[in-house]
Amino acid sequence: MSELSIVMLGAPGAGKGTQAVRIAEAHGIPHISTGEMLRSAIAAGSELGQKAKEIVESGALVPDELIVEVIRERLSQPDASGGFVLDGFPRTIGQVEALDLLLVELARPLEVVLELELEQETAVERMLGRAAEQGRADDTPEVIKNRFEVYRRQTEPLSNYYRSKGILVVIDSSPSMDEVFAEIERVLDGVA
Ligand code: AMP
């Protein structure tokens, strides 16, 4: 099986998590979600969780140093040596720079960055649906609004960086989950 290192980009509610899980399953690579790692640290009450709780619940970003350490540790695990799909990281230019260095150290360059594109209105509807199902503390209308602002300011610029490196592929996330996944698989066939 060809090795794949993938970054998922996209606004809140664009479907990164859903698609990342399916990519991970289909390609036998770990799905690495910093949001999930933070939520379980918060649930466990660990030191990381205590530092992150209020920030995550407000929709802001935890400090780069904190999350870069989490990712450094996770990417150094043996199951990540044959590739991975990163979901929710990087989210700032500082994190991009840290990831670039880390991937050089690990000799594991990114093959592709998939940016899922979805109108905000549709994304918000999907997120409020998810809130009803999963009870995420940061899926309230107020916090969702803040997460979009944070995304625009801090994360959206990342797509230009990856575009300039020639590895960005933008995917329309408005069709059904299955159709979006089929499109992603077509793209991955092309890079593998
Ligand atoms: P997510 O599940 O990816 O939407 O992440 C949920 C929340 O976790 C975000 O709103 C942030 O508060 C925090 N978080 C997740 N990933 C990062 C990251 N790479 N940098 C900073 N904060 C993050």
Side-chain angles (χ1 to χ4, degrees):
M1 193 182 299
S2 60
E3 299 190 344
L4 275 173
S5 306
I6 304 168
V7 161
M8 306 293 291
L9 282 183
K16 295 187 296 296
T18 307
Q19 297 298 339
V21 166
R22 300 182 69 162
I23 295 168
E25 268 173 23
H27 295 271
I29 50 178
H31 166 222
I32 301 180
S33 157
T34 44
E36 271 175 22
M37 291 166 93
L38 290 170
R39 283 188 288 280
S40 51
I42 291 169
S46 68
E47 197 184 327
L48 170 67
Q50 288 173 29
K51 285 184 188 155
K53 187 172 193 296
E54 268 186 40
I55 303 172
V56 170
E57 287 174 0
S58 75
L61 298 182
V62 304
D64 284 353
E65 316 82 76
L66 208 63
I67 203 75
V68 165
E69 234 3 80
V70 169
I71 278 290
R72 171 186 297 282
E73 222 251 301
R74 183 64 188 87
L75 291 184
S76 310
Q77 303 291 315
D79 69 330
S81 67
F84 44 79
V85 49
L86 285 180
D87 161 18
F89 183 94
R91 259 179 157 100
T92 66
I93 293 292
Q95 292 178 21
V96 166
E97 288 167 357
L99 179 63
D100 277 352
L101 285 176
L102 189 56
L103 294 179
V104 169
E105 274 172 39
L106 296 169
R108 189 95 261 320
L110 292 177
E111 269 78 35
V112 66
V113 175
L114 300 173
E115 177 170 38
L116 299 186
E117 209 171 44
L118 188 66
E119 236 182 76
Q120 180 163 336
E121 205 184 320
T122 317
V124 171
E125 275 168 26
R126 290 189 186 174
M127 287 160 92
L128 293 174
R130 174 174 75 188
E133 275 168 34
Q134 302 175 0
R136 259 180 70 157
D138 60 347
D139 275 349
T140 63
E142 185 109 322
V143 178
I144 286 174
K145 188 163 162 272
N146 190 31
R147 286 162 60 203
F148 272 103
E149 275 163 26
V150 167
Y151 174 78
R152 292 250 152 65
R153 212 169 42 240
Q154 304 199 66
T155 309
E156 209 164 53
L158 272 47
S159 49
N160 278 334
Y161 173 78
Y162 286 121
R163 185 175 290 116
S164 75
K165 290 189 80 177
I167 55 172
L168 183 79
V169 177
V170 179
I171 298 202
D172 175 13
S173 201
S174 64
S176 71
M177 282 192 302
D178 287 347
E179 287 170 284
V180 174
F181 183 62
E183 179 58 24
I184 288 175
E185 285 298 282
R186 270 193 290 279
V187 169
L188 295 181
D189 276 346
V191 297

